[in-house]
Amino acid sequence: MTNTYRDSGRAGLENAEEFVDMLEKRRCSSDLGHALRTYSPSPYEGALSCSTADLNKAVLESQYLRYVTKEIATETGSSVEDVKQEVCRILEEMSQNLQLGSIRLMAYTLTKVLKRLFTGIFVNMEGLNMLQQAIQESPVILMPNHRSYVDFLVISYILFTYDIPLPVIAAGIPLAGMKMVGEILRRSGAFFIRRAIGSDKLYWAVLSEYVKTIVRKGFAPLEFYVEGLRSRTLKSQLPKLGMMHMVLEPYFKGEVYDITLVPISISYDRVLEESLLAHELLGIPKPKESTTGLLKATKVLQEDYGNMHVNFGRPMSVRRLCQGKINRGQYNLIPRDLPQKPSAETQACVSGLANLMVRIQEEGSLISPWSLMACLLLQAPTTVLTQEGLLWHQLTEKTLWLRKLALDFGARLNWPGQVPDLDVMSSTVSLHRSVVHLKAGRVYLVQEEEPARKHPISPELDVIRAAAAVLMLASYRNQSLHIFVRPAMLATAIRVTKSARRDELFAFFCFLRDIFSNEFIFIPGKSSQDFEEACFLLNKCGAVDISQQEVIVSDARLEVLSFLQALLQPFIHSYQVMFRYLCEDGVNVFTEKQVLPAVRNLATKLILSGELHTYEALSSDTQKNILSALQRLETVTKLRESEQNEYRVNKAAVRRIGDILSGEISPQMLQTAPDAKL
């Protein structure tokens, strides 16, 4: 019988998604037979027969590229023929060469690998069935989140297994440089994009026309990561809008009737790169992608990574999503083939859709028991986790309490319903033995073993060792942050303002939303809705009582507010460390390369002195998010004349933000208009 279950986090709903373990059949049948079986997908009905060569020819002969080619030749003084040759070279480097034979080879290899890595890969069949139908009706854009290198081909593997047309996939150019592997990936549908395009007008034109031609012709479903790069914190990242503009433009210009967006949520019990990601956040460079490195990484096949869940979201019509939000008539004013800068209205529409896709990815993800346990472990002092150990029975009791709160907040939980709760939590800790271990009824944080040394390890290196373990733990907490972040912001507003007035709490909530807009995903223009959601959830769990004018704390559920406030503290403390550094004497103009190690050094000193307890302040991603937020708030400005990406800081403005965050400026001083700039 096929191994299916109903997601226990939604068990009370009538139409809860049904997930099927697609590896179960693979474990009891021939891997070669699966790879060589008859593959009969139903493609987009509006697509004309088009080979890879036909696609590339259509790109090269497009009026748009001809126009840009002549324009660049004029600007640079080059001949048109030289520019055309550069276009051909870029396209050759970039283009995919999807071939069924390579897909079969990849399917055979992946079956072997995935069976070794994962206990199960669970796929929601309802979402797959809707995708199969959507692909026949309009061009489809697949938009998975990006947490691991495994993401890259798992979608293609699933679609091949269920006879759904295979996608072409946007990939980073370093993968193309891997011997043999790069060509296999190209023939499996990958097209390769340079990471630093900058202001290369010709490259942008070729990439844009290539993507738009795929969409216009309905060549294949197109898959890309709207977040851009793989998330090193396992937390959703702000969407990158370049590719989003490209895939939507054929609809905006009336070249296709509709486009279908399919958000996909990939959830892992345990991520293969957990240690690598934590060390990257501490400034240790990522190993270069290479075939040799891939072969050396085969030791991961000896580990157990639990389950993977792939949740295909409901297909969404761009035509319906854009209704009333954009005037497509503006595209009729000039020929379609000419470059056209998107209007402010178009940019707002694209940004809103991209943020919406990431939010739907978050809502579709399944929260593991380990993510809830990580939330609680990180609220214990690091010295307790590294030296004394946290009592096991306290952790399990609190985890069951948090499970109920998460369900009240609408989380989708991956908590096996037929297994005793204690067994679920014990097996979870066992799966994550690289992060924590259980000994004599206490839970301890695992730190890397240091090689034998002639001299004792320095205090600074000891901090980095502990930080690596904490950041691994934090990455799993981050998987569930989207469930709690809005009520946590309201709980923080209640603590900092010491006010019960709705208008004052809303003002501080908007301030936090503005500050943390690079840290968490908020849909632009939805401040009021986010605040109302936070009020509703806190009221639903009994933590507050809501009236038209006030939000009154309930003494009976103070533990809810305490937990939520503590959940946000590492971010607040990390931001305060950056503010403190930027306000030091002598820090006026700086580069990003200078500021990141300097802030890490300051945080290390504060941790050693006992003044700071947040090891997450050492994370380079957090530091970059703070800098981006300060740039957006115009308290840090980029110097135009600088060739080294230098920035100038407005110390008074940074101090003011820090004072508001710590409650030293009263809430009456804040702007209360929704979405007003700080």
Side-chain angles (χ1 to χ4, degrees):
M1 181 177 176
T2 303
N3 179 15
T4 66
Y5 73 93
R6 291 193 180 276
D7 170 17
S8 58
R10 314 287 278 190
L13 300 180
E14 288 184 6
N15 295 315
E17 294 89 349
E18 186 179 67
F19 284 81
V20 174
D21 178 11
M22 64 178 296
L23 289 186
E24 186 178 39
K25 284 185 178 179
R26 303 285 72 77
R27 295 190 192 281
C28 55
S29 62
S30 163
D31 296 341
L32 186 60
H34 173 63
L36 297 178
R37 68 186 182 81
T38 301
Y39 171 64
S40 52
S42 300
Y44 171 41
E45 292 173 356
L48 300 173
S49 178
C50 180
S51 66
T52 297
D54 293 336
L55 178 71
N56 291 354
K57 184 180 179 184
V59 173
L60 291 172
E61 293 179 353
S62 69
Q63 290 293 332
Y64 171 71
L65 265 188
R66 288 181 182 178
Y67 177 87
V68 173
T69 298
K70 290 177 182 177
E71 192 175 53
I72 290 176
T74 302
E75 290 172 358
T76 61
S78 305
S79 69
V80 172
E81 198 56 41
D82 286 346
V83 179
K84 282 182 178 179
Q85 287 179 6
E86 178 63 12
V87 168
C88 292
R89 193 186 66 77
I90 292 171
L91 188 60
E92 184 179 355
E93 172 192 84
M94 178 188 300
S95 63
Q96 55 76 36
N97 187 19
L98 185 60
Q99 296 180 10
L100 186 56
S102 294
I103 290 293
R104 293 191 186 282
L105 173 62
M106 189 62 71
Y108 177 74
T109 307
L110 278 177
T111 301
K112 296 286 187 189
V113 171
L114 295 174
K115 287 194 297 184
R116 292 288 295 272
L117 291 175
F118 298 103
T119 306
I121 297 180
F122 290 89
V123 182
N124 68 320
M125 296 308 299
E126 182 186 3
L128 265 185
N129 292 335
M130 288 190 292
L131 171 61
Q132 195 158 29
Q133 182 63 36
I135 281 178
Q136 298 174 50
E137 296 172 355
S138 65
V140 165
I141 312 300
L142 302 175
M143 303 176 69
N145 54 357
H146 196 13
R147 302 293 176 265
S148 168
Y149 283 126
V150 179
D151 303 338
F152 184 69
L153 284 172
V154 75
I155 302 298
S156 296
Y157 180 74
I158 293 169
L159 300 192
F160 174 78
T161 299
Y162 290 100
D163 280 345
I164 298 174
L166 298 168
V168 292
I169 313 162
I173 197 69
L175 294 175
M178 296 172 66
K179 290 181 180 177
M180 293 178 61
V181 174
E183 186 57 32
I184 292 172
L185 294 175
R186 191 185 295 276
R187 295 185 183 193
S188 299
F191 64 95
F192 300 101
I193 304 173
R194 296 175 192 171
R195 283 183 176 164
I197 302 174
S199 58
D200 189 334
K201 185 176 177 180
L202 186 62
Y203 192 90
W204 274 113
V206 177
L207 174 60
S208 173
E209 187 61 24
Y210 186 70
V211 169
K212 290 185 287 187
T213 304
I214 290 171
V215 176
R216 277 195 298 259
K217 288 186 170 293
F219 176 80
L222 191 149
E223 177 184 337
F224 78 99
Y225 303 112
V226 69
E227 297 168 282
L229 301 174
R230 180 180 48 137
S231 172
R232 297 189 295 184
T233 61
L234 303 191
K235 178 163 57 69
S236 295
Q237 302 180 105
L238 282 184
K240 303 292 188 291
L241 303 182
M243 185 69 79
M244 195 74 177
H245 270 287
M246 293 176 199
V247 299
L248 294 177
E249 191 172 304
Y251 168 73
F252 292 155
K253 289 189 172 182
E255 295 169 316
V256 295
Y257 179 77
D258 199 2
I259 294 171
T260 300
L261 306 179
V262 181
I264 303 172
S265 307
I266 305 176
S267 310
Y268 294 90
D269 284 353
R270 183 184 171 201
V271 176
L272 274 71
E273 307 93 327
E274 57 184 8
S275 176
L276 179 68
L277 295 176
H279 285 88
E280 283 182 39
L281 292 173
L282 293 170
I284 298 167
K286 181 181 74 169
K288 185 180 178 182
E289 290 98 337
S290 68
T291 305
T292 306
L294 181 65
L295 294 174
K296 286 181 179 177
T298 52
K299 64 180 181 180
V300 301
L301 296 175
Q302 312 305 318
E303 294 281 334
D304 178 12
Y305 292 91
N307 292 322
M308 179 199 301
H309 289 80
V310 184
N311 190 0
F312 289 84
R314 186 176 297 277
M316 306 183 75
S317 160
V318 169
R319 190 177 189 86
R320 192 170 299 129
L321 289 169
C322 292
Q323 199 165 12
K325 295 180 181 177
I326 186 169
N327 174 22
R328 294 197 294 160
Q330 61 186 293
Y331 288 97
N332 295 328
L333 301 177
I334 64 173
R336 289 176 179 172
D337 297 324
L338 297 185
Q340 185 173 354
K341 186 177 179 181
S343 64
E345 178 189 60
T346 301
Q347 291 177 358
C349 180
V350 171
S351 175
L353 286 181
N355 280 279
L356 176 63
M357 291 302 111
V358 180
R359 281 291 291 132
I360 294 172
Q361 289 172 354
E362 288 183 332
E363 291 169 359
S365 63
L366 271 74
I367 308 302
S368 68
W370 177 240
S371 184
L372 300 181
M373 297 174 86
C375 287
L376 297 166
L377 285 165
L378 283 167
Q379 295 192 7
T382 305
T383 51
V384 170
L385 296 178
T386 55
Q387 298 171 22
E388 305 162 30
L390 187 67
L391 286 170
W392 172 246
H393 74 84
Q394 286 184 356
L395 178 61
T396 55
E397 287 174 8
K398 197 73 174 175
T399 301
L400 294 176
W401 169 84
L402 185 54
R403 178 180 68 172
K404 183 180 183 308
L405 182 66
L407 290 173
D408 284 345
F409 283 3
R412 299 168 182 259
L413 293 188
N414 168 29
W415 192 295
Q418 308 303 317
V419 182
D421 290 334
L422 278 177
D423 289 351
V424 171
M425 290 182 279
S426 295
S427 63
T428 292
V429 168
S430 177
L431 179 67
H432 292 278
R433 58 188 175 276
S434 59
V435 185
V436 295
H437 71 274
L438 183 59
K439 181 180 178 183
R442 290 179 180 269
V443 181
Y444 296 87
L445 198 62
V446 173
Q447 296 188 63
E448 292 178 340
E449 292 184 10
E450 281 292 315
R453 295 172 177 265
K454 291 182 180 179
H455 304 288
I457 187 173
S458 70
E460 289 79 12
L461 277 178
D462 206 31
V463 168
I464 296 298
R465 282 180 63 220
V470 168
L471 290 177
M472 284 170 67
L473 197 55
S475 66
Y476 289 103
R477 174 211 60 199
N478 290 344
Q479 291 179 320
S480 57
L481 270 183
H482 63 278
I483 300 296
F484 302 112
V485 67
R486 286 161 182 76
M489 283 165 40
L490 178 54
T492 300
I494 291 170
R495 178 183 62 81
V496 174
T497 64
K498 298 178 177 58
S499 173
R501 289 181 50 182
R502 280 182 72 121
D503 58 343
E504 293 181 354
L505 292 174
F506 178 58
F508 197 85
F509 182 93
C510 289
F511 163 76
L512 289 176
R513 192 180 185 275
D514 214 5
I515 287 292
F516 291 134
S517 282
N518 290 78
E519 207 69 59
F520 310 110
I521 301 300
F522 302 110
I523 297 176
K526 302 290 184 182
S527 293
S528 298
Q529 291 91 326
D530 284 342
F531 181 73
E532 292 304 324
E533 179 187 330
C535 290
F536 171 78
L537 293 176
L538 287 185
N539 178 251
K540 181 182 179 183
C541 70
V544 298
D545 295 313
I546 307 290
S547 71
Q548 206 164 17
Q549 301 295 330
E550 292 185 317
V551 178
I552 308 296
V553 173
S554 169
D555 293 336
R557 298 300 305 273
L558 288 176
E559 61 181 341
V560 173
L561 295 180
S562 296
F563 164 76
L564 293 171
Q565 290 159 2
L567 199 63
L568 218 53
Q569 280 304 301
F571 298 95
I572 292 174
H573 291 159
S574 298
Y575 276 55
Q576 293 285 24
V577 171
M578 175 67 85
F579 298 162
R580 179 167 170 172
Y581 170 77
L582 292 176
C583 291
E584 285 182 350
D585 292 337
V587 179
N588 295 302
V589 176
F590 60 86
T591 66
E592 188 178 287
K593 286 184 178 179
Q594 291 171 337
V595 79
L596 298 186
V599 173
R600 189 177 292 124
N601 289 337
L602 173 60
T604 301
K605 289 176 184 176
L606 295 175
I607 289 170
L608 288 172
S609 70
E611 190 177 341
L612 177 68
H613 303 287
T614 300
Y615 284 77
E616 292 175 62
L618 298 165
S619 165
S620 59
D621 274 25
T622 301
Q623 293 160 6
K624 289 175 183 177
N625 286 342
I626 301 169
L627 280 179
S628 296
L630 292 177
Q631 281 183 259
R632 178 170 42 79
L633 298 171
E634 298 175 4
T635 55
V636 166
T637 52
K638 187 174 181 180
L639 301 181
R640 289 184 179 179
E641 65 275 10
S642 171
E643 294 181 0
Q644 300 179 354
N645 288 330
E646 289 183 311
Y647 300 89
R648 184 182 299 280
V649 59
N650 181 337
K651 293 180 186 288
V654 171
R655 284 194 195 96
R656 182 174 184 272
I657 293 173
D659 289 344
I660 296 172
L661 200 54
S662 60
E664 294 178 28
I665 293 181
S666 68
Q668 290 88 347
M669 299 290 290
L670 297 177
Q671 297 177 359
T672 55
D675 301 300
K677 179 166 281 192
L678 180 69

